[in-house]
Amino acid sequence: MKSNRTKITRDEEDTLLLVATLPPALRAALRNLPLDELLEVVMDLGRLPEARFPDRVVPLADRPVGHDDLAHVTALTGAFGDDNRAGIERTLHRISAIRNRKGQIVGLTLRVGRAVVGGIDLLRDLVETGQSLLILGRPGVGKTTKLREMARVLADDFHKRVIVIDTSNEIAGDGDIPHPGIGSARRMQVPRPDRQHATMIEAVENHMPEVIIIDEIGTEAEAAAARTIAERGVQLIGTAHGTTLESLLKNPTLSDLVGGVQVVTLGDEEARRRRTAKTISERRAPPTFEIVVEMVDRDEVIIHRETGAAVDAILRGYAPRGEVREQAADGQVHIRDEEPALTAAPPPTTELTQRQGPVRIYPYALSRDILERVIRSLGLSARTVGVPEQADLLIALRARADDLRLKRLTEGGGVPLHFIKRNTANEMRRLLERLFHVIEGVEGDEVAELVRETEAAIHQALAESAEIPLAPRRPALRKLQHRIIAGHGLVAQSRGREPERHLVIYPPEEE
């Protein structure tokens, strides 16, 4: 109890150090506000200064910020680097500058930095494995906080030789002496952001670390440096730009962190044996990071324990279900899907394109407003409904797959249920484009006709166990045909030259 009180006092003292850099009038205004909840102070030239809290924004003065106010703050903080960031020595605060064309500072953001103890509980067992760990998540979700706590635990509790590569001084604070939040871990500062990859290699070659911790891997050179470090047997823990494993895989600059992607052309026999198209995407190399963690929120993560297997599943058109962990208010960690399973993405739904009248969609624990905007933007013959009993289709978050009420709604298989990973417009759009066979520049009637033709050919191939040729189609429509055919577990290949190029459906191989 005593140590906890010490931590709170240190946080309060650190916050007061940031407040002390403000002009006197702003300091006086902050005295009546809860400093333990303060997120940042924003000072823009010609505008009122603001204090930002999790649930509100409070003006700190009735006169706009002037050049003298900005000069007062910059005179009391550290020097600004090439990334326009400065700090206060031995604290985690970050002061970021906005400059005009002449390089003069016209705005400041004073971000409060706090060392949070206990943030590693969700991931402690993964850190103990010695495997390299990559953390993904949107800005502000707490990735850097997790890295700081991991550095302290690995150095102090497991007595590892840990080096923190601190490009923007967010992990270990400003100044030559690192913040105590990283424990006995050592810290290497980076002279310029474009030298981060060189500092990573220097750390391995000169200081013999067992663990390297790096924030915001964002360039091809840094991804290559990360692979070099991992190949030398050093445990690497880092963060990267991206919110999910799938989004990272689509980033050509950073996909090498999880193995990369290459396009492979198979022979006729091999394609038929695999029941795939002749041109497929495969993982290029072993992943640099064996484990990937997607941070949904500060207290919720999705873990992919075998990065290679998860990437392979995505490239085959499957959705890898990670292990979901949540930390309750009492500190208890709850785990779902402890042994992850791979579930196939739902095949295209032919009935939706042939149905008379708008398709009624019920968003289960999802934003109805976002879904309606997506429907309008795609021009679909669909609408949302307020009760599931009226729906032709249910959409829910994959994390809700074990929800008892959801299971009751879908008992008997009367209403199809489709899952998305996030409650976002992009996730909804991708699902609806697949279900409604949306193709840019193609009318709905043409799509419906194509679906009917392809379905009929599939049934014929199954009934007659024969190869069935389809009519020539342009590339965008052939891609849709491939998707429909694969959804039925069959393989098709393209034949001929444009404009007579067409698909041929192969029957299933006999056992």
Side-chain angles (χ1 to χ4, degrees), residues 320-389:
R321 292 180 61 184
E323 176 183 312
V324 181
R325 295 185 180 184
E326 294 178 275
Q327 188 169 17
D330 60 1
Q332 293 295 314
V333 176
H334 303 283
I335 300 176
R336 301 196 304 274
D337 290 333
E338 193 160 356
E339 296 182 359
L342 297 179
T343 58
T349 308
T350 306
E351 292 78 6
L352 294 179
T353 60
Q354 299 177 345
R355 188 183 184 281
Q356 297 297 318
V359 176
R360 297 166 298 183
I361 304 175
Y362 178 73
Y364 184 85
L366 295 172
S367 170
R368 189 172 175 181
D369 289 340
I370 294 177
L371 181 57
E372 288 178 343
R373 288 200 299 271
V374 172
I375 291 172
R376 288 196 299 271
S377 68
L378 294 175
L380 302 179
S381 177
R383 64 183 179 89
T384 63
V385 291
V387 291
E389 290 77 14

Side-chain angles (χ1 to χ4, degrees), residues 7-28:
K7 180 184 77 67
I8 293 174
T9 301
R10 182 182 296 134
D11 282 346
E12 290 174 346
E13 290 177 352
D14 283 355
T15 304
L16 290 174
L17 289 175
L18 181 68
V19 173
T21 65
L22 298 172
L26 303 190
R27 291 202 304 267

Side-chain angles (χ1 to χ4, degrees), residues 46-262:
R47 295 184 176 180
L48 297 181
E50 296 176 343
R52 295 181 176 177
F53 297 87
D55 57 350
R56 58 187 171 134
V57 176
V58 180
L60 294 178
D62 55 5
R63 69 173 184 86
V65 173
H67 284 288
D68 55 337
D69 297 316
L70 298 175
H72 183 281
V73 175
T74 56
L76 296 176
T77 59
F80 287 88
D82 291 344
D83 56 358
N84 280 315
R85 292 178 177 180
I88 300 173
E89 191 164 352
R90 302 197 71 179
T91 75
L92 302 175
H93 306 315
R94 185 183 73 200
I95 296 92
S96 303
I98 299 175
R99 299 179 184 269
N100 61 15
R101 291 182 180 181
K102 298 179 181 179
Q104 299 169 326
I105 293 177
V106 294
L108 291 172
T109 302
L110 293 84
R111 182 80 178 181
V112 179
R114 298 182 178 92
V116 180
V117 177
I120 197 178
D121 293 346
L122 277 171
L123 306 175
R124 188 183 181 99
D125 61 317
L126 303 180
V127 174
E128 293 175 7
T129 65
Q131 294 180 300
S132 292
L133 179 71
L134 182 65
I135 302 176
L136 306 175
R138 67 183 187 277
V141 79
K143 300 188 297 295
T144 305
T145 299
K146 288 281 192 293
L147 292 185
R148 187 182 303 115
E149 183 77 345
M150 289 177 183
R152 183 187 64 79
V153 169
L154 284 167
D156 293 355
D157 296 358
F158 296 102
H159 309 292
K160 295 282 189 76
R161 298 190 301 273
V162 181
I163 288 185
V164 175
I165 308 298
D166 208 1
T167 304
S168 58
N169 290 344
E170 287 194 62
I171 300 178
D174 201 58
D176 295 334
I177 302 175
H179 189 275
I182 66 169
S184 59
R186 303 178 74 188
R187 187 264 297 270
M188 291 182 66
Q189 293 177 300
V190 180
R192 299 194 315 271
D194 61 352
R195 298 296 297 165
Q196 178 168 282
H197 67 283
T199 307
M200 293 166 66
I201 298 299
E202 180 187 340
V204 176
E205 293 178 342
N206 292 355
H207 304 290
M208 297 181 61
E210 295 174 284
V211 184
I212 283 184
I213 292 180
I214 176 72
D215 199 6
E216 294 187 4
I217 299 173
T219 68
E220 191 172 347
E222 291 161 10
R227 178 170 291 279
T228 299
I229 291 170
E231 288 173 349
R232 295 190 184 192
V234 178
Q235 182 182 10
L236 188 63
I237 300 177
T239 67
H241 302 300
T243 56
T244 65
L245 176 58
E246 187 173 359
S247 68
L248 186 70
L249 196 59
K250 294 177 181 178
N251 184 333
T253 302
L254 299 179
S255 63
D256 184 60
L257 296 174
V258 292
V261 181
Q262 64 182 357

